[in-house]
Amino acid sequence: MTEFKYLEKDKNGNYQIKKLYLNPYLEMYNSEIISYEISKKPTLAPILKALEKAIEITSINKEERIFHSDQGWAYQIKQYTSKLEAEEITISMSRKGNYLDNSPMENFFGLLKQEIYYEKNFYSYEELKEAIEEYQILHSR
């Protein structure tokens, strides 16, 4: 999961900083994002929804599937781990405090933010979400 900030006008016309959360699943074979969810809050529901899509997409080839993540709170919750176990998917997690273990995902986040986010202001959730989805469509071919 990664966080993006955007600006949104409140009732008085003042800009407030809001957040958008991206929950992607990256295929290590070809570095393609196979599923993702975008949400306004860092809750479990969008993570599980993206997980369901990733499980469905990878179910074509049930040879040993490995889902890797960092040690974020959502990836340690029983609802998450039990879904993977039920599908006989091996759970892999980064070592605590070692972001390099998750470097392919961190690299994707860095490229995404560099190409569409840094040095640009977004003024609504919808505008930022659209930019992320357009980037994803362009890079999934």
Side-chain angles (χ1 to χ4, degrees):
M1 176 187 312
T2 194
E3 173 186 287
F4 295 84
K5 293 179 182 171
Y6 63 95
L7 299 170
E8 192 170 85
K9 280 188 180 179
D10 63 15
K11 295 174 187 171
N12 300 323
N14 299 318
Y15 283 104
Q16 301 292 320
I17 296 174
K18 301 285 187 166
K19 295 178 182 177
L20 174 150
Y21 297 89
L22 173 63
N23 306 285
Y25 285 83
L26 181 129
E27 168 62 62
M28 293 291 293
Y29 177 74
N30 60 7
S31 298
E32 179 182 342
I33 298 298
I34 58 172
S35 74
Y36 67 93
E37 282 296 316
I38 297 173
S39 61
K40 290 184 177 183
K41 296 183 179 179
T43 60
L44 187 59
I47 293 168
L48 293 178
K49 192 171 180 182
L51 175 63
E52 286 291 337
K53 289 179 193 174
I55 288 172
E56 182 181 327
I57 289 166
T58 61
S59 67
I60 294 167
N61 181 2
K62 289 194 176 185
E63 266 183 49
E64 187 177 3
R65 293 180 288 169
I66 300 170
F67 277 41
H68 180 78
S69 70
D70 61 18
Q71 289 192 27
W73 62 270
Y75 312 114
Q76 297 182 50
I77 288 180
K78 190 67 176 160
Q79 289 168 281
Y80 184 89
T81 58
S82 62
K83 281 191 182 292
L84 294 176
E85 290 167 357
E87 293 288 330
E88 298 179 356
I89 296 171
T90 301
I91 299 169
S92 169
M93 285 194 179
S94 301
R95 294 170 291 177
K96 192 169 186 122
N98 192 336
Y99 67 90
L100 294 175
D101 285 350
N102 204 25
S103 60
M105 195 78 253
E106 296 299 333
N107 184 57
F108 169 76
F109 290 148
L111 289 172
L112 169 65
K113 289 180 178 182
Q114 183 178 2
E115 291 183 17
I116 70 159
Y117 180 70
Y118 294 138
E119 298 185 22
K120 183 169 185 197
N121 290 324
F122 290 90
Y123 293 97
S124 72
Y125 172 83
E126 291 76 20
E127 179 187 10
L128 179 52
K129 181 178 184 221
E130 185 178 306
I132 293 168
E133 288 174 338
E134 186 175 300
Y135 180 85
Q136 171 53 31
I137 290 167
L138 291 173
H139 288 83
S140 65
R141 294 179 179 152

